[in-house]
PDB file of all heavy atoms in Angstrom:
ATOM      1  N   ALA A 108      43.903-138.691 -94.770  1.00 91.00           N
ATOM      2  CA  ALA A 108      43.426-140.041 -95.121  1.00 91.00           C
ATOM      3  C   ALA A 108      44.035-141.067 -94.185  1.00 91.00           C
ATOM      4  O   ALA A 108      43.352-142.000 -93.707  1.00 91.00           O
ATOM      5  CB  ALA A 108      43.732-140.361 -96.579  1.00 91.00           C
ATOM      6  N   LEU A 109      45.340-140.958 -93.876  1.00 93.00           N
ATOM      7  CA  LEU A 109      45.990-141.876 -92.975  1.00 93.00           C
ATOM      8  C   LEU A 109      45.422-141.722 -91.559  1.00 93.00           C
ATOM      9  O   LEU A 109      45.287-142.701 -90.797  1.00 93.00           O
ATOM     10  CB  LEU A 109      47.499-141.639 -92.944  1.00 93.00           C
ATOM     11  CG  LEU A 109      48.239-142.140 -94.200  1.00 93.00           C
ATOM     12  CD1 LEU A 109      49.679-141.677 -94.165  1.00 93.00           C
ATOM     13  CD2 LEU A 109      48.145-143.640 -94.312  1.00 93.00           C
ATOM     14  N   LEU A 110      45.099-140.493 -91.150  1.00 94.00           N
ATOM     15  CA  LEU A 110      44.466-140.285 -89.838  1.00 94.00           C
ATOM     16  C   LEU A 110      43.161-141.030 -89.762  1.00 94.00           C
ATOM     17  O   LEU A 110      42.898-141.731 -88.785  1.00 94.00           O
ATOM     18  CB  LEU A 110      44.276-138.780 -89.646  1.00 94.00           C
ATOM     19  CG  LEU A 110      43.815-138.341 -88.266  1.00 94.00           C
ATOM     20  CD1 LEU A 110      44.464-137.043 -87.890  1.00 94.00           C
ATOM     21  CD2 LEU A 110      42.338-138.186 -88.141  1.00 94.00           C
ATOM     22  N   SER A 111      42.325-140.937 -90.803  1.00 93.00           N
ATOM     23  CA  SER A 111      41.051-141.619 -90.811  1.00 93.00           C
ATOM     24  C   SER A 111      41.251-143.145 -90.800  1.00 93.00           C
ATOM     25  O   SER A 111      40.549-143.834 -90.084  1.00 93.00           O
ATOM     26  CB  SER A 111      40.220-141.236 -92.068  1.00 93.00           C
ATOM     27  OG  SER A 111      39.900-139.869 -92.002  1.00 93.00           O
ATOM     28  N   LEU A 112      42.140-143.587 -91.585  1.00 94.00           N
ATOM     29  CA  LEU A 112      42.427-145.037 -91.649  1.00 94.00           C
ATOM     30  C   LEU A 112      42.909-145.604 -90.333  1.00 94.00           C
ATOM     31  O   LEU A 112      42.493-146.641 -89.877  1.00 94.00           O
ATOM     32  CB  LEU A 112      43.432-145.310 -92.789  1.00 94.00           C
ATOM     33  CG  LEU A 112      43.811-146.784 -93.064  1.00 94.00           C
ATOM     34  CD1 LEU A 112      42.543-147.565 -93.451  1.00 94.00           C
ATOM     35  CD2 LEU A 112      44.807-146.818 -94.194  1.00 94.00           C
ATOM     36  N   SER A 113      43.785-144.847 -89.684  1.00 96.00           N
ATOM     37  CA  SER A 113      44.277-145.329 -88.372  1.00 96.00           C
ATOM     38  C   SER A 113      43.210-145.252 -87.290  1.00 96.00           C
ATOM     39  O   SER A 113      43.203-146.058 -86.348  1.00 96.00           O
ATOM     40  CB  SER A 113      45.532-144.549 -87.950  1.00 96.00           C
ATOM     41  OG  SER A 113      45.304-143.175 -87.837  1.00 96.00           O
ATOM     42  N   MET A 114      42.257-144.320 -87.404  1.00 96.00           N
ATOM     43  CA  MET A 114      41.138-144.279 -86.469  1.00 96.00           C
ATOM     44  C   MET A 114      40.331-145.562 -86.562  1.00 96.00           C
ATOM     45  O   MET A 114      39.965-146.185 -85.551  1.00 96.00           O
ATOM     46  CB  MET A 114      40.209-143.120 -86.730  1.00 96.00           C
ATOM     47  CG  MET A 114      40.716-141.766 -86.233  1.00 96.00           C
ATOM     48  SD  MET A 114      39.674-140.381 -86.724  1.00 96.00           S
ATOM     49  CE  MET A 114      38.097-140.835 -86.094  1.00 96.00           C
ATOM     50  N   VAL A 115      40.046-146.000 -87.775  1.00 96.00           N
ATOM     51  CA  VAL A 115      39.240-147.211 -87.982  1.00 96.00           C
ATOM     52  C   VAL A 115      40.027-148.468 -87.571  1.00 96.00           C
ATOM     53  O   VAL A 115      39.445-149.370 -87.009  1.00 96.00           O
ATOM     54  CB  VAL A 115      38.819-147.297 -89.478  1.00 96.00           C
ATOM     55  CG1 VAL A 115      38.099-148.582 -89.735  1.00 96.00           C
ATOM     56  CG2 VAL A 115      37.940-146.123 -89.856  1.00 96.00           C
ATOM     57  N   THR A 116      41.328-148.448 -87.790  1.00 96.00           N
ATOM     58  CA  THR A 116      42.168-149.592 -87.362  1.00 96.00           C
ATOM     59  C   THR A 116      42.205-149.690 -85.868  1.00 96.00           C
ATOM     60  O   THR A 116      42.126-150.792 -85.312  1.00 96.00           O
ATOM     61  CB  THR A 116      43.555-149.456 -87.972  1.00 96.00           C
ATOM     62  OG1 THR A 116      43.452-149.334 -89.382  1.00 96.00           O
ATOM     63  CG2 THR A 116      44.427-150.656 -87.624  1.00 96.00           C
ATOM     64  N   ALA A 117      42.302-148.551 -85.169  1.00 97.00           N
ATOM     65  CA  ALA A 117      42.273-148.549 -83.713  1.00 97.00           C
ATOM     66  C   ALA A 117      40.918-149.068 -83.210  1.00 97.00           C
ATOM     67  O   ALA A 117      40.848-149.784 -82.197  1.00 97.00           O
ATOM     68  CB  ALA A 117      42.539-147.155 -83.172  1.00 97.00           C
ATOM     69  N   ARG A 118      39.861-148.742 -83.871  1.00 96.00           N
ATOM     70  CA  ARG A 118      38.539-149.232 -83.531  1.00 96.00           C
ATOM     71  C   ARG A 118      38.474-150.753 -83.605  1.00 96.00           C
ATOM     72  O   ARG A 118      37.934-151.452 -82.771  1.00 96.00           O
ATOM     73  CB  ARG A 118      37.466-148.606 -84.432  1.00 96.00           C
ATOM     74  CG  ARG A 118      36.098-149.197 -84.269  1.00 96.00           C
ATOM     75  CD  ARG A 118      35.362-149.121 -85.604  1.00 96.00           C
ATOM     76  NE  ARG A 118      34.199-149.981 -85.646  1.00 96.00           N
ATOM     77  CZ  ARG A 118      34.196-151.217 -86.180  1.00 96.00           C
ATOM     78  NH1 ARG A 118      35.311-151.704 -86.706  1.00 96.00           N
ATOM     79  NH2 ARG A 118      33.112-151.914 -86.185  1.00 96.00           N
ATOM     80  N   ALA A 119      39.084-151.304 -84.662  1.00 96.00           N
ATOM     81  CA  ALA A 119      39.149-152.752 -84.803  1.00 96.00           C
ATOM     82  C   ALA A 119      39.931-153.399 -83.673  1.00 96.00           C
ATOM     83  O   ALA A 119      39.528-154.420 -83.134  1.00 96.00           O
ATOM     84  CB  ALA A 119      39.768-153.120 -86.158  1.00 96.00           C
ATOM     85  N   ALA A 120      40.992-152.731 -83.238  1.00 96.00           N
ATOM     86  CA  ALA A 120      41.768-153.249 -82.090  1.00 96.00           C
ATOM     87  C   ALA A 120      40.950-153.208 -80.806  1.00 96.00           C
ATOM     88  O   ALA A 120      41.010-154.150 -80.000  1.00 96.00           O
ATOM     89  CB  ALA A 120      43.045-152.431 -81.905  1.00 96.00           C
ATOM     90  N   VAL A 121      40.139-152.196 -80.624  1.00 96.00           N
ATOM     91  CA  VAL A 121      39.270-152.069 -79.448  1.00 96.00           C
ATOM     92  C   VAL A 121      38.245-153.228 -79.479  1.00 96.00           C
ATOM     93  O   VAL A 121      38.014-153.873 -78.457  1.00 96.00           O
ATOM     94  CB  VAL A 121      38.571-150.705 -79.372  1.00 96.00           C
ATOM     95  CG1 VAL A 121      37.441-150.700 -78.336  1.00 96.00           C
ATOM     96  CG2 VAL A 121      39.554-149.629 -79.052  1.00 96.00           C
ATOM     97  N   LEU A 122      37.623-153.474 -80.625  1.00 95.00           N
ATOM     98  CA  LEU A 122      36.684-154.555 -80.737  1.00 95.00           C
ATOM     99  C   LEU A 122      37.290-155.904 -80.438  1.00 95.00           C
ATOM    100  O   LEU A 122      36.712-156.729 -79.724  1.00 95.00           O
ATOM    101  CB  LEU A 122      36.008-154.595 -82.127  1.00 95.00           C
ATOM    102  CG  LEU A 122      34.969-153.484 -82.386  1.00 95.00           C
ATOM    103  CD1 LEU A 122      34.521-153.612 -83.842  1.00 95.00           C
ATOM    104  CD2 LEU A 122      33.808-153.603 -81.457  1.00 95.00           C
ATOM    105  N   LEU A 123      38.512-156.136 -80.949  1.00 96.00           N
ATOM    106  CA  LEU A 123      39.215-157.364 -80.649  1.00 96.00           C
ATOM    107  C   LEU A 123      39.539-157.522 -79.164  1.00 96.00           C
ATOM    108  O   LEU A 123      39.382-158.582 -78.582  1.00 96.00           O
ATOM    109  CB  LEU A 123      40.515-157.446 -81.486  1.00 96.00           C
ATOM    110  CG  LEU A 123      40.362-157.846 -82.930  1.00 96.00           C
ATOM    111  CD1 LEU A 123      41.689-157.687 -83.667  1.00 96.00           C
ATOM    112  CD2 LEU A 123      39.828-159.240 -83.037  1.00 96.00           C
ATOM    113  N   SER A 124      39.928-156.412 -78.511  1.00 95.00           N
ATOM    114  CA  SER A 124      40.244-156.481 -77.070  1.00 95.00           C
ATOM    115  C   SER A 124      38.965-156.760 -76.287  1.00 95.00           C
ATOM    116  O   SER A 124      38.987-157.483 -75.310  1.00 95.00           O
ATOM    117  CB  SER A 124      40.935-155.211 -76.625  1.00 95.00           C
ATOM    118  OG  SER A 124      40.054-154.144 -76.573  1.00 95.00           O
ATOM    119  N   ARG A 125      37.827-156.138 -76.681  1.00 94.00           N
ATOM    120  CA  ARG A 125      36.566-156.414 -75.994  1.00 94.00           C
ATOM    121  C   ARG A 125      36.154-157.872 -76.142  1.00 94.00           C
ATOM    122  O   ARG A 125      35.703-158.518 -75.214  1.00 94.00           O
ATOM    123  CB  ARG A 125      35.447-155.500 -76.553  1.00 94.00           C
ATOM    124  CG  ARG A 125      35.666-154.024 -76.414  1.00 94.00           C
ATOM    125  CD  ARG A 125      35.450-153.542 -74.978  1.00 94.00           C
ATOM    126  NE  ARG A 125      35.299-152.128 -74.907  1.00 94.00           N
ATOM    127  CZ  ARG A 125      36.295-151.272 -74.652  1.00 94.00           C
ATOM    128  NH1 ARG A 125      37.506-151.713 -74.418  1.00 94.00           N
ATOM    129  NH2 ARG A 125      36.090-149.981 -74.588  1.00 94.00           N
ATOM    130  N   LEU A 126      36.326-158.404 -77.369  1.00 94.00           N
ATOM    131  CA  LEU A 126      35.999-159.796 -77.628  1.00 94.00           C
ATOM    132  C   LEU A 126      36.842-160.740 -76.766  1.00 94.00           C
ATOM    133  O   LEU A 126      36.284-161.623 -76.115  1.00 94.00           O
ATOM    134  CB  LEU A 126      36.248-160.089 -79.114  1.00 94.00           C
ATOM    135  CG  LEU A 126      35.963-161.502 -79.625  1.00 94.00           C
ATOM    136  CD1 LEU A 126      34.479-161.814 -79.561  1.00 94.00           C
ATOM    137  CD2 LEU A 126      36.491-161.691 -81.034  1.00 94.00           C
ATOM    138  N   ARG A 127      38.114-160.492 -76.719  1.00 94.00           N
ATOM    139  CA  ARG A 127      39.018-161.320 -75.878  1.00 94.00           C
ATOM    140  C   ARG A 127      38.691-161.190 -74.402  1.00 94.00           C
ATOM    141  O   ARG A 127      38.765-162.181 -73.674  1.00 94.00           O
ATOM    142  CB  ARG A 127      40.470-160.993 -76.181  1.00 94.00           C
ATOM    143  CG  ARG A 127      40.856-161.453 -77.556  1.00 94.00           C
ATOM    144  CD  ARG A 127      42.335-161.279 -77.793  1.00 94.00           C
ATOM    145  NE  ARG A 127      42.622-161.717 -79.166  1.00 94.00           N
ATOM    146  CZ  ARG A 127      43.433-161.103 -79.974  1.00 94.00           C
ATOM    147  NH1 ARG A 127      44.083-160.027 -79.581  1.00 94.00           N
ATOM    148  NH2 ARG A 127      43.665-161.560 -81.181  1.00 94.00           N
ATOM    149  N   ALA A 128      38.389-159.972 -73.957  1.00 93.00           N
ATOM    150  CA  ALA A 128      38.098-159.788 -72.547  1.00 93.00           C
ATOM    151  C   ALA A 128      36.854-160.582 -72.091  1.00 93.00           C
ATOM    152  O   ALA A 128      36.857-161.163 -71.064  1.00 93.00           O
ATOM    153  CB  ALA A 128      37.943-158.279 -72.256  1.00 93.00           C
ATOM    154  N   VAL A 129      35.835-160.517 -72.914  1.00 93.00           N
ATOM    155  CA  VAL A 129      34.582-161.255 -72.564  1.00 93.00           C
ATOM    156  C   VAL A 129      34.841-162.754 -72.633  1.00 93.00           C
ATOM    157  O   VAL A 129      34.375-163.484 -71.749  1.00 93.00           O
ATOM    158  CB  VAL A 129      33.429-160.825 -73.469  1.00 93.00           C
ATOM    159  CG1 VAL A 129      32.194-161.696 -73.233  1.00 93.00           C
ATOM    160  CG2 VAL A 129      33.067-159.381 -73.199  1.00 93.00           C
ATOM    161  N   ARG A 130      35.572-163.221 -73.627  1.00 90.00           N
ATOM    162  CA  ARG A 130      35.913-164.647 -73.730  1.00 90.00           C
ATOM    163  C   ARG A 130      36.713-165.104 -72.535  1.00 90.00           C
ATOM    164  O   ARG A 130      36.449-166.163 -71.959  1.00 90.00           O
ATOM    165  CB  ARG A 130      36.674-164.938 -75.015  1.00 90.00           C
ATOM    166  CG  ARG A 130      35.823-165.051 -76.206  1.00 90.00           C
ATOM    167  CD  ARG A 130      36.650-165.487 -77.401  1.00 90.00           C
ATOM    168  NE  ARG A 130      35.823-165.541 -78.603  1.00 90.00           N
ATOM    169  CZ  ARG A 130      36.285-165.490 -79.817  1.00 90.00           C
ATOM    170  NH1 ARG A 130      37.595-165.389 -80.029  1.00 90.00           N
ATOM    171  NH2 ARG A 130      35.460-165.543 -80.839  1.00 90.00           N
ATOM    172  N   THR A 131      37.681-164.316 -72.132  1.00 89.00           N
ATOM    173  CA  THR A 131      38.548-164.631 -70.981  1.00 89.00           C
ATOM    174  C   THR A 131      37.718-164.645 -69.687  1.00 89.00           C
ATOM    175  O   THR A 131      37.882-165.540 -68.866  1.00 89.00           O
ATOM    176  CB  THR A 131      39.722-163.654 -70.874  1.00 89.00           C
ATOM    177  OG1 THR A 131      40.450-163.655 -72.093  1.00 89.00           O
ATOM    178  CG2 THR A 131      40.603-164.010 -69.738  1.00 89.00           C
ATOM    179  N   ALA A 132      36.866-163.702 -69.521  1.00 82.00           N
ATOM    180  CA  ALA A 132      36.012-163.653 -68.336  1.00 82.00           C
ATOM    181  C   ALA A 132      35.079-164.859 -68.266  1.00 82.00           C
ATOM    182  O   ALA A 132      34.834-165.383 -67.179  1.00 82.00           O
ATOM    183  CB  ALA A 132      35.194-162.346 -68.331  1.00 82.00           C
ATOM    184  N   THR A 133      34.632-165.344 -69.389  1.00 67.00           N
ATOM    185  CA  THR A 133      33.753-166.520 -69.435  1.00 67.00           C
ATOM    186  C   THR A 133      34.512-167.780 -69.095  1.00 67.00           C
ATOM    187  O   THR A 133      34.035-168.642 -68.373  1.00 67.00           O
ATOM    188  CB  THR A 133      33.118-166.645 -70.835  1.00 67.00           C
ATOM    189  OG1 THR A 133      32.465-165.422 -71.133  1.00 67.00           O
ATOM    190  CG2 THR A 133      32.125-167.805 -70.876  1.00 67.00           C
TER     191      THR A 133
END
């Protein structure tokens, strides 16, 4: 269960980094 939860949390971190990268590039 912790493995699954940490997978989803890492996905959220990836989305945040993608969001910041596009904002910074703009």
Side-chain angles (χ1 to χ4, degrees):
L109 287 172
L110 189 143
S111 296
L112 183 58
S113 61
M114 281 175 57
V115 176
T116 305
R118 173 210 163 264
V121 168
L122 285 176
L123 282 172
S124 73
R125 299 285 196 266
L126 179 68
R127 288 187 182 139
V129 172
R130 280 186 182 159
T131 303
T133 306

